[in-house]
Every structure is written in structure tokens, then in C-alpha cells.
Amino acid sequence: MIKAGIIGSTGYAGQELVRLLLGHKEVEILWYGSRSYIDKKYYEVFGNMFRIVDAVCMDDNMKELAEAVDVIFTATPQGLCASLVNEDILNKVKIIDLSADFRIKDVSVYEKWYGIEHKSPQFIDEAVYGLCEINREQVKHARLTANPGCYTTCSILSFYPLVKEGLIKPDSIIIDAKSGTSGAGRGAKVNNLYCEVNENIKAYGVLTHRHTPEIEEQLGYAAGQDIKIIFTPHLVPMNRGILVTGYANLAKSLSYEEVRAAYDKYYTSEPFIRILDQDVCPETRWVEGSNYVDINFKLDQRTNRIVVMGALDNVVKGAAGQAVQNMNLMFGLPETEGLELVPMFP
Amino acid sequence: MIKAGIIGSTGYAGQELVRLLLGHKEVEILWYGSRSYIDKKYYEVFGNMFRIVDAVCMDDNMKELAEAVDVIFTATPQGLCASLVNEDILNKVKIIDLSADFRIKDVSVYEKWYGIEHKSPQFIDEAVYGLCEINREQVKHARLTANPGCYTTCSILSFYPLVKEGLIKPDSIIIDAKSGTSGAGRGAKVNNLYCEVNENIKAYGVLTHRHTPEIEEQLGYAAGQDIKIIFTPHLVPMNRGILVTGYANLAKSLSYEEVRAAYDKYYTSEPFIRILDQDVCPETRWVEGSNYVDINFKLDQRTNRIVVMGALDNVVKGAAGQAVQNMNLMFGLPETEGLELVPMFP
Amino acid sequence: MIKAGIIGSTGYAGQELVRLLLGHKEVEILWYGSRSYIDKKYYEVFGNMFRIVDAVCMDDNMKELAEAVDVIFTATPQGLCASLVNEDILNKVKIIDLSADFRIKDVSVYEKWYGIEHKSPQFIDEAVYGLCEINREQVKHARLTANPGCYTTCSILSFYPLVKEGLIKPDSIIIDAKSGTSGAGRGAKVNNLYCEVNENIKAYGVLTHRHTPEIEEQLGYAAGQDIKIIFTPHLVPMNRGILVTGYANLAKSLSYEEVRAAYDKYYTSEPFIRILDQDVCPETRWVEGSNYVDINFKLDQRTNRIVVMGALDNVVKGAAGQAVQNMNLMFGLPETEGLELVPMFP
Amino acid sequence: MIKAGIIGSTGYAGQELVRLLLGHKEVEILWYGSRSYIDKKYYEVFGNMFRIVDAVCMDDNMKELAEAVDVIFTATPQGLCASLVNEDILNKVKIIDLSADFRIKDVSVYEKWYGIEHKSPQFIDEAVYGLCEINREQVKHARLTANPGCYTTCSILSFYPLVKEGLIKPDSIIIDAKSGTSGAGRGAKVNNLYCEVNENIKAYGVLTHRHTPEIEEQLGYAAGQDIKIIFTPHLVPMNRGILVTGYANLAKSLSYEEVRAAYDKYYTSEPFIRILDQDVCPETRWVEGSNYVDINFKLDQRTNRIVVMGALDNVVKGAAGQAVQNMNLMFGLPETEGLELVPMFP
């Protein structure tokens, strides 16, 4: 059994990680970290865990934790993982960081967009960007994996084959993304109250959202060049789900079959990516509770553009599910272990 | 023009009061009080008011306010109004208190259920319980009106004719109430976050909710005896609306027509109470945004009980609309002025 | 492997059954019945099943199905199962009927409340009422199991220990129930459109809902006498979940510990019933996607009554999950097989 | 008093028209047309109208109606108005058509995108496209006004100053729009059931939505050239509201002040268009129930593009409110009569 510790287990992503690991037959959770709820029963914070988890929430002590477990998940605000990790800890445990601390290779870009100083830039190079479908082999040997963001996972996977195969002009990419409210976290803020979110849709973080440079960096690697995109997130009155609607200019005239072939080339044997039948639009309800990303596209002959659509569950493939997928790779387990979840509807 | 000041204008009830008073042709709002947002533009707190209200939020200074306006609405937490009001102020302005401070005549009951000391019990006797349909004449002459609670308005009006006419056994009353989330206020609490309320229903405050003694006191007056009821509120994933489903044992065998006649006796000329056609159940959507209370009942011959149902919009008839209705009475205006609102659907 | 066929696999309960059986290691689904979608790919009806289920929807042929499978689930409107079943079929397969056809032992009561003639009353006696926690032993030997209704499961389990132990006066029971909208089925009706259900709560079927006699019959067995209750269902704007708030007069003065002991006596080793800690109210979100029933109660010394609360997921424990639980018992499998589902939140 | 008749008064737009006209002091509604509910009380179809509207639904007889009223609103599916209108009728009454029949000047474009034959193309030229902010003078003299679509109103008004002033490259326009579910109408379809829409977001009609040519035609007039855009609508789990997020390449380098000046030039005295303060994003909740369009933009120096955002209430400014605004102009009333509605929140 792999022994796991979770720092930040009482956020939405942390709690979903608990749910998934409870269903994973090779893992046991030893440490339910939560600075906000120290000494409180975990099930008092999340009533679904009553009679399932009897543990008590513990403080965020990565040093002590490193002695006790094989893998540490950090599902915490930006900056915490970078401030706690060190060589000694990395020699003892594997770390999967669900925050943004090790996602961006250029530390100045990180510091500019996140507005905080990076406390352990010496590990950025070593950290593997844990988008399994693209960096599978590196993840297998990682000590420190940077679990991608929710919007970025959906955006990158939706565009990757197009960019990699040179089918679109990468600087023309516009991503209009829509997210359920669990993505806003469990902090007590007026803006996230029920009556503020319900019966409303809005854009936020327009041109300044922190997932922008992460998408640009990763798609830039695929393009073989630096790229600039527009990324606009929106808040949708629903609990889970991200839908990405992306636009780009085609690099040349293309048929449906040609574009489809590009997607199939990269994804046909991917267990968690489903390229939908022609003309079927991804919907977040069809992936809810699962690790799937549903993707499709449509070509516009009138404007010589492509519309790309991707849907995932932000707390599964966009956070906890992807973290488990990374863990499976890092520990030599079948990649789908504990993740063969049928989406739950309605 | 009546000059109005609002203390607590940035809660949900306060903001609804603003909306209603803006549509009231005899009133102008001079004071947008809000301790939390002092010096902030009101429209920055509520974007709907952009280009409609240009005022800035001001501190809660009832003394200063009393010099400037004709009526003060206090839409604040319990205790504030009682701590601010005094004889000098009451000599200058009329006060409509949307909190519970002056609703309950027995100060020991107030202090027990609310857990706070009452700071001006000397005004309790004078204060009129502002349920216009029942205390219309007293309201007309009040200096200080206690605006009823949302659950209580719906509960009392639904049961009043039955109790008054002795058609039910008053001690058998059970009220199972359901409220939209605006009733929980605009405070930043984890329990009221979108993801916590959405896709959920729960009872809360079971047997301890503070509206219980208010209902008991008022229905007790109607019954001519002290009564004890069970009142169970529930939180429903919707913005507005309260539905009360009440149960009671019949005092004798009764026909539909007999019970209907009791309701008609008290409500037939009430502008804001609609007794629905036989077998039509009240629904909160049909009163949303309006000052109506929709009421109906059904007799169960099998168990010799009655099921009573009432629906209203908790921020209108349950708060701000009723406050305006009280103001109209207190200032000799037509009772429906500014309140002839067609419910908005969907 | 148990071979299963589902008649009515494209309703909400039928689809949930598919989801659960896909995660059950002893079962394979051979027949996806759906009169409305014959010859259509199942994943075209439910997009979540893309790349998971490749089967095509088939007609409702119970005779042919009986040759091919070991167990038939009928998740269809009332009357269909009773019209199809016969001795020959029951000799070949086990049947778990999710409709109401075999739930009520008194055929005249069935015909009165459902308004249809029962087509095979000869099997009513044999059929076992499949509430596993109460009829576990009989279910193990059943050929034909009547899977209980969603409201009834929640209502009966919430009150059973109180009635069985004589702690309450059974004729005083009032059940105020609230259900998510999946309980209304997937038929295209104006009343179930998004804009009609959203931002609304209403009672429906007041005093006439068909689950009433089912609750009365089962609780009557527990009470050892005929009983009459009031049951009022409400429609809540959420997908899943039933909350029952029940009221009854105590038979004598009782302490928390005494009542708690009664619940523990019947449920302490039940895998799917969770009696919550004192003062914690059941909430539907904490059981969503799982087979749990969360139950609690509160005693009112003021009125000598008890308030009972129960929550379950109407498509799991209220339908498909309970059907799988019954199947497990009927085939000698561990009762929890395929049902150890951690509730999904948010 | 202007006498009004509504053909199609039992759809969502028709019902909203009733609500608005009931609050309009110069209008009385004489005819509640509804083919689906002939002879049914209007309040039985919409319970909010109980005790407010006592009328009975009548058949769609435009000829008879033309004798009785001054203005006819047709809030019906495409094709109906075109099939009923004739010279004789237009000589007697003014018509405001909320369907698409007279919106598009090129009949072949209409017939291609709508897939139906136009039954009275002879009136297309005369019909005025009723976007008051742009065609105010023509509307004043119209006999037949084509009330714009919901998405198109929001899209055109959001982009109009940019296109008219040549600030953007019109062929680079991409519009990503999000709509509440009332836009899908009140027809009983599985796709619009509560459980299908709730907890979901999806694009639909990708590259084929019928509002595309309408936007292209109107913005083409502003640009002085034919243009082609991409328009992608999405369905959002909320009742009301449209949010448009638009993207375009700037024609040249521009400052915030320059772009703002363009918006102010066209909209500064418009009663229903609110250009928000810099960096404030439009949200549908802030316009709900009102005739406002909230608009803002943000310049991206990194990509030399502009992001444009617009929000309106699809059943008010996107349908019924705009129809009343057109009526006011056509009858020489103040344009804002009956439309000075404070947005309702929450």
C-alpha cells in the first residue's frame, strides 16, 4: 500500500482527492492536513465522509509528513508548497503539487502573474509538468510533479494536436472558458455566496487570469515558438465542470477528416480523452465525476477558422483525478487505477 | 415627498427596499446606511443600481439621520435598532424596524430566544407589530413599527383565519417551512457559498429557530390562549421565496366551503393576499418580486386534519415590501402605493 | 458473471442502474431496453456513456430477455411489469421491479391509488417488498422483488424503529418530503422544464400521492395495526436527493438516549444507514451518488413530539442502488458489492 | 389608451410582454392569443397573473384582431407573422413582430438559415429593424417593426461603435454568447428539462445559429461592407440573461480613452445602455428584469485585440422590453414609458 498525506484536504480539490483515494485499492491516506480545521474530525467538515473517514485534521507539517508517507499531495494556495519543500523532503517522498508553484518554468513569469516571490526556484527545472497525456514518460520518473490547472488542462488538451501538427496559427488562439463555482474554492467570500453566483454569468480576470501564461508556455512548447493567446474565464452557476470554447485561424484549408486524424494521432489510445462523434458538442454534464476530457471541433469554411470545444470536471481531471493519474505513473501502477469512474448523471 | 433613510441598506432586504422605494412616487431616499461599505458608491456594492443611484454609503448614525428624514428603516442584525432608538428620535421620525427587536412583546421571551439583552424594552409596548392585514389600524398611528419576520408573515397569514375562527386545535400546529437563500443574508459564510447550498436541501435550527415564539405569540392572540407549535425551517437552493406547509388537527368536521369561507372572511378584500382556486397549490415562483402571499388549503378526511400552504417572496412581503406597506399606512398613503408589482416569471 | 437485462434503461433510474452495474464486478449488462429509443446507441441517449457502453437500445421483450439473462430489472411506468410477467418467465429469471406493481399487498388499494387494473395479481403475495434492511431474509429467496419507492424508502426507514418499538403514536405521523427533480422522470413535460422548476418550490399531489399507501402498509406492519398518515411531497430545484422531515406525537416521555437506542437497535450494523451525531441534520448533499440513508431526530419537550429527518439519493438508495442491493441478496453476493460509493460533493 | 393584442402570449416572451404592458399606463391588453391554450384562463397558464389578469386565451386571428386593437405583438415561432400579415391589416394596426420573419432584408439569406419559405417577402423592405438605439427615427414611422433577436441585440449593441468608427477589423469578430434557458422557449422538450440543463454548460448550434446572419447584416451596415463573423451560443443553467463575450483585432493601436470615446459618442444619452466603469465586467444579474444593456471592453496590448462584453435580460431588452420600446416610439410616447425598471437582485 502506498501511504499518502494530503496538505490542504479541506478544500474542494482536497476533498475530491480523499474521495478518489478512498476508492483506490493501492493507497491509504495517513494524513488529512488542514490548517483551518486542526483537531476537527474530517467528517465534521465534510458530512459525506461520516462513517467513512474517522481521522482528525492535522496541521501542515511537511517535514513530519515526509517521514510517515510515500507521497504528499499539496492542495493549497499558491506559495505554500514552494515554501515547504526541500532536498531532504524530496529524498524521502514524492510530491504532487496541485498549486501553481512548479507549473511555470520561467520564474519571472510566475512571479509577475502570481505577484509573489518563489521560495524554491531551484526545484522548478526538476519539477515535471504533470499533464500525463503529453509528459507521460517524464512523470514516471518525477520526484516533484506540478499538477496542471483546471482551465489549462482543458485548454491545452483541446488545442494540443492542432498546434503540434501546425494546423492552426498559434497566435490566433482565443480561449473562452466557463467554469463551475467549485473552481473558486471554499473560502468565505461574498462574491461566491449562493445568491451572488446563482442566476448569473460573468467574465472575470479578463486578460489577467493566471492560467494564461501556463497555457502559453505549454502550447508554446508544442508550437516550437513563443505564443500569446487571449484567455477569458467565466463563472457559471453550477458546482462542477469546465467548458472551453476555443477559436483559431487555420494555417491552411483543412477537411474534417484531416483535423480528426490529428486528434486521433495523439489521443486514440488515451484512456481519458474522448474525441466525440462529428457534430456532437462536449457538455460538462457528461464528464461530471469522472476523469474524462471530452473534445470536439468544427471547421468554419466561411471564415477559415476552427472552433474547438473541450469539457472536463474541474475537480477530477482538472485537479484531484489528474493528481491520482500522476501518482499512478510515479509509482508504476496502471494509469487508470482508481480512476475508472463512470460519469454521474443527472 | 417623504424623506427616507435606510440603516443597513447593503443587505438583501435593504437593497430590495431601495429597489421598491425607487419605484415609489412619494418617497426619496436620502441616506444609504451601511457600516460595511462606508464611503463606497452604492452601485459598486450592487451593480444593478449603476446610473440609478449615485449615492455613497454612510455610517449608521440614527441621531443625525433623525434630523434629516421622515422615516428610518433599520434593516440590520438584531439588537442594533434597540440600541439606537430613544424618545428624542421617536419624536422626530417614524421608525420601521426590519429586525426582531420590537416584534415580541414579552422581553424575556426575546432575550431567551435571541440570546441578547434588550437595550430599550421601554418601547416594546408602544411598538406595533406591523402585519398590516391584522393590525392595520394600529400601524396607522405607530411611531415605531416592528416589521414581521419572513417565515412568520407567511406562517401567521396562512393560519390566521383558522385559528381566529376556532376551526383547528391550535396546539396541533406543525409548520414545515422552506426558504430561498437570500433569507440567510449576505454575510460571507462557508455554509452559504454557492457550492454548499446548490444541489442540497436541509432543515436547520430545528426546534430552536427564533421565528417560533413570534408565530406563537401572534397566533396566540388570535386563539385567545397561549399556544406551542413546531416550526421547522429548511434551506432551498433558490434565491427568493418562502413556502410554508402547515398541518393541524381540525376542531370539528369541516367542508371545503366552510374553511374557504373563513379565509374569505378575513382576506377577501386584502390587496396582497390571494386565496387560490380549490386544489391549486401555492408556488414561490408565482409571487417572486411581488408583495403577494398566495394561500390555499386541503382537508384530509382520512385523518381529520388540514394541510395549509402559503407562499411569498421573503425579501418583498417577507421584508422590504411589507416595510413599504407599513410606511404607506403610517403616512396616510394608499396602502398599495409602490407595491403593485406583477410577479416576475421565470 | 450474472447476466442482467434492463427494461426501461433510458429513464433516470434506468441509467443510474447502468452506471452502478458497470461498476459491479459480478454483473454484465446484456440488454439495454428502451421502447423510446429502439436501435439508437445507448451513448447517444446518455453522452456520459460514450466509449463505455457500445450497445444499442432494444425493445421491451421480457420473454426473449428471460432466455438470455439471469436477472431482469424493470425501470418502467406502473403497469408494464405486471402486464409482462408470468410463471414461465419467473421460472427462468429473477425479476426486480422498480415500478410500484408489486409493492402493495392489497390489490384494491393499488388499483384505487394508481387508477389502473393490476394485470397479474396472482404474483402479489409471492413478491417480496425489497426494503433490505427490513426484509433481508425474504429478499434472499425471492424470485420477484418489488423495489420500494424513493419517498417510501426514506420515510419508512426514518420512522421504522420508532413505530416498531412503540415510541410514537403511529396515527400522528406527518411526513413532509422534498425531492429533487430527477424523481419526476425524463418525460418531456412543461412542468418539468428548467425554467418552471428553477427558482421555485411547491407541494404537489397533496393528500393524493401514491407513495402514501405504501408507507402506511409497511409502517402498519411494524405497528401491528392499520395506520393513516399525512404525506406531502414537494419539488425542489436540484437534480438528486430526497429529504424527509417527519413529525409524530411521542407515546410517552422519552430521552434522547432512549430514542437513540431504538435506532441503534435496528440499524447499528446496517451498512447503508447512518444515524448522525446528536443535533446534526441530514442533508441531501452528503449522500449524493451513494446508497446511504442519513437519519436523525430531535425531541421537542415543549410539545411532546419528535421531529425525524432522513436523507437519501432518490436515484441510488431510492431506486437503482436499492435494486442492486436486492440483486446482491437474491444472488448470494455480499450485500454491499458494487455499492461502496463515497458520496460525491460538491 | 393604446389597445394591444398579443399573438403568442403564453410563451416566455409573450408572458413578459404581458407583465410589462400591465405596468404601462398608456396601454391595455385586449387579446391574449395562444393557440395552445384556447379558452383557458390566462392565470391558469401563468399563476403569477392570478387576480391580475382575468382574460381567457384566444385563437390567433390576426384579421379579427386588427379590427379591435391598435397594435399587435406577434411572439410566435418563425413563419407565423409572415403568413398572416397583409396590406389590409397593416392599414389598420401597427405590428411588432418578435419573430425573425422581417429581420433579415435578404430573403434568400432568411430562407437559407431558417429553412422555410417566406410567405410575404413584399413587406420585408418596409419593415424596420427595431433596434431603437440605431434605427430610432425609422421606427417612429414604421407600420411593421421587426423586433431584433436576443443574442443579436446584445451582440450588435456591444460592437456597434467599434465597427461604425472603424476601430476594429470587422471580419475578425468572434462572438461567444451565453444564454439563460428561457431563451429556449416553453416547449416540452427533453433537452430543456430541469435535470438536463441544470449542472451543465454546452455550446449548441455551433456555426449554424440563425442569429448569425442577423448580426452580420446589421454590423455590415455599420461597417459599410459585407462581413462574416463567428457566433457561438451556449446554454447556461439560469432562467434569464445573455452575456456576450466578443473578440476582435484592433484596426490600429488604441488607448482606453479612445475606445471609450467611441462608445460614449453613440451611447452617452441612451437611456437603456450603460457603459460600465473601467475594468468592471458586465454580469447578467445586474440587468435582470430590466431593459438595460450593460457593456464594457478591455484592450489587450499583448495581442492587439479587444475583448467586448455585453449583458442584457433576454426576455426584456432581448424581447418584450425592446418590443415595448419600439411601441413607444411608434406611438409617439416617451421611449422609456413602462420600462423604467430597476433590475431585480438577487
Side-chain angles (χ1 to χ4, degrees), chain B residues 112-113 171-178 191 195-208 212 216 227-232 234 236-243 245-249 281-286 288 298-303 305-307 309 345-346, chain C residues 112-113 171-178 191 195-208 212 216 227-232 234 236-243 245-249 281-286 288 298-303 305-307 309 345-346:
Chain B
K112 178 184 157 205
W113 286 79
D171 265 326
S172 70
I173 294 176
I174 290 170
I175 296 176
D176 189 288
K178 298 92 178 166
N191 271 345
C195 290
E196 309 292 316
V197 172
N198 191 37
E199 297 300 291
N200 188 41
I201 185 164
K202 64 172 178 186
Y204 66 98
V206 180
L207 302 180
T208 63
T212 310
E216 289 178 345
I227 65 172
K228 296 274 171 271
I229 65 162
I230 283 193
F231 172 71
T232 316
H234 297 75
V236 180
M238 60 184 192
N239 284 350
R240 289 171 178 244
I242 281 179
L243 182 72
T245 314
Y247 305 90
N249 297 330
C281 291
E283 308 190 24
T284 60
R285 61 175 167 157
W286 300 133
E288 193 175 329
K298 205 155 177 185
L299 293 165
D300 189 22
Q301 310 301 350
R302 301 192 327 133
T303 63
R305 295 203 190 100
I306 188 169
V307 181
M309 293 164 282
F345 171 81
Chain C
K112 178 184 159 207
W113 286 77
D171 265 326
S172 70
I173 293 176
I174 291 171
I175 295 174
D176 190 286
K178 299 90 179 167
N191 271 344
C195 290
E196 309 292 318
V197 172
N198 192 37
E199 296 301 294
N200 189 39
I201 185 164
K202 66 172 178 185
Y204 66 97
V206 180
L207 302 179
T208 63
T212 311
E216 290 178 344
I227 67 173
K228 294 275 172 269
I229 65 162
I230 283 194
F231 171 72
T232 316
H234 297 77
V236 180
M238 60 183 192
N239 285 349
R240 290 171 178 240
I242 281 179
L243 183 72
T245 315
Y247 305 90
N249 297 331
C281 291
E283 308 189 25
T284 61
R285 61 176 165 157
W286 300 133
E288 192 175 330
K298 204 152 175 186
L299 293 166
D300 190 20
Q301 310 300 351
R302 300 191 330 135
T303 63
R305 295 200 191 102
I306 188 170
V307 181
M309 294 165 278
F345 172 81

Side-chain angles (χ1 to χ4, degrees), chain A residues 176 196 216 247 285 302, chain D residues 176 196 216 247 285 302:
Chain A
D176 191 286
E196 309 292 315
E216 289 179 345
Y247 305 90
R285 61 176 165 156
R302 299 191 332 136
Chain D
D176 190 286
E196 309 291 317
E216 288 178 345
Y247 305 91
R285 60 176 166 156
R302 302 191 329 135

Side-chain angles (χ1 to χ4, degrees), chain B residues 208-276:
Chain B
T208 63
H209 194 279
R210 295 158 165 189
H211 285 181
T212 310
E214 189 180 334
I215 301 169
E216 289 178 345
E217 191 177 289
Q218 294 297 322
L219 289 182
Y221 296 148
Q225 63 175 89
D226 280 357
I227 65 172
K228 296 274 171 271
I229 65 162
I230 283 193
F231 172 71
T232 316
H234 297 75
L235 189 67
V236 180
M238 60 184 192
N239 284 350
R240 289 171 178 244
I242 281 179
L243 182 72
V244 152
T245 314
Y247 305 90
N249 297 330
L250 295 173
K252 55 180 172 181
S253 182
L254 286 163
S255 70
Y256 169 79
E257 289 70 21
E258 291 170 299
V259 177
R260 175 70 200 227
Y263 278 101
D264 287 343
K265 173 174 173 187
Y266 291 92
Y267 294 149
T268 199
S269 47
E270 284 301 333
F272 298 122
I273 299 187
R274 307 191 291 193
I275 308 300
L276 303 185

Side-chain angles (χ1 to χ4, degrees), chain A residues 19 35 63 87 96 154 170 187 192 211 221 230 250-251 269 273 276 292 325:
Chain A
R19 183 177 79 94
R35 178 145 291 178
K63 193 149 176 276
E87 185 61 33
I96 299 170
C154 199
N192 296 334
H211 285 181
Y221 296 149
I230 283 192
L250 296 173
S269 45
I273 300 187
L276 303 184
Y292 289 115
Q325 193 179 352

Side-chain angles (χ1 to χ4, degrees), chain C residues 315-332:
Chain C
V315 287
V316 187
K317 181 62 178 173
Q322 186 143 264
V324 172
Q325 193 180 350
N326 277 312
M327 181 197 74
N328 286 339
L329 289 174
M330 292 162 83
F331 284 86

Side-chain angles (χ1 to χ4, degrees), chain D residues 85-278:
Chain D
V85 74
N86 61 42
E87 186 61 33
D88 187 47
I89 288 171
L90 283 175
N91 283 335
K92 290 179 180 149
V93 291
K94 293 178 189 292
I95 292 182
I96 298 170
D97 178 25
L98 282 76
S99 86
D101 286 0
F102 296 99
R103 291 178 192 159
I104 292 175
K105 292 300 172 192
D106 184 336
V107 69
S108 69
V109 170
Y110 172 90
E111 294 188 339
K112 179 184 156 204
W113 286 79
Y114 284 88
I116 51 175
E117 187 196 351
H118 200 292
K119 291 297 174 58
S120 48
Q122 69 275 22
F123 297 117
I124 293 180
D125 262 1
E126 175 187 347
V128 173
Y129 188 74
L131 194 52
C132 310
E133 288 75 10
I134 291 172
N135 296 329
R136 181 167 286 120
E137 291 312 311
Q138 299 94 302
V139 170
K140 288 180 182 171
H141 307 99
R143 295 194 299 177
L144 172 57
T145 297
N147 211 56
C150 50
Y151 282 125
T152 52
T153 297
C154 200
S155 301
I156 296 166
L157 291 175
S158 296
F159 272 103
Y160 182 77
L162 303 177
V163 172
K164 188 75 177 177
E165 294 293 300
L167 303 186
I168 58 170
K169 297 181 183 161
D171 264 327
S172 70
I173 294 174
I174 290 169
I175 295 174
D176 190 286
K178 298 90 179 166
S179 175
T181 305
S182 56
R186 215 190 187 206
K189 294 176 186 166
V190 168
N191 271 344
N192 296 334
L193 290 176
Y194 183 82
C195 291
E196 309 291 317
V197 172
N198 190 37
E199 296 300 294
N200 189 38
I201 184 165
K202 66 172 178 184
Y204 66 97
V206 179
L207 302 179
T208 62
H209 194 278
R210 295 154 166 193
H211 285 182
T212 311
E214 189 180 334
I215 301 168
E216 288 178 345
E217 192 177 287
Q218 294 298 323
L219 288 182
Y221 296 149
Q225 65 177 85
D226 281 359
I227 65 172
K228 295 271 171 277
I229 65 160
I230 283 192
F231 172 72
T232 316
H234 297 76
L235 189 66
V236 179
M238 59 184 191
N239 283 351
R240 290 170 177 242
I242 281 180
L243 182 74
V244 153
T245 314
Y247 305 91
N249 297 331
L250 296 174
K252 55 181 172 180
S253 182
L254 286 164
S255 70
Y256 169 79
E257 288 71 22
E258 290 170 302
V259 177
R260 176 70 201 227
Y263 278 101
D264 286 343
K265 175 175 172 185
Y266 291 93
Y267 295 149
T268 200
S269 46
E270 284 300 335
F272 298 122
I273 300 188
R274 306 191 291 193
I275 307 300
L276 303 185
D277 291 348
Q278 189 169 6

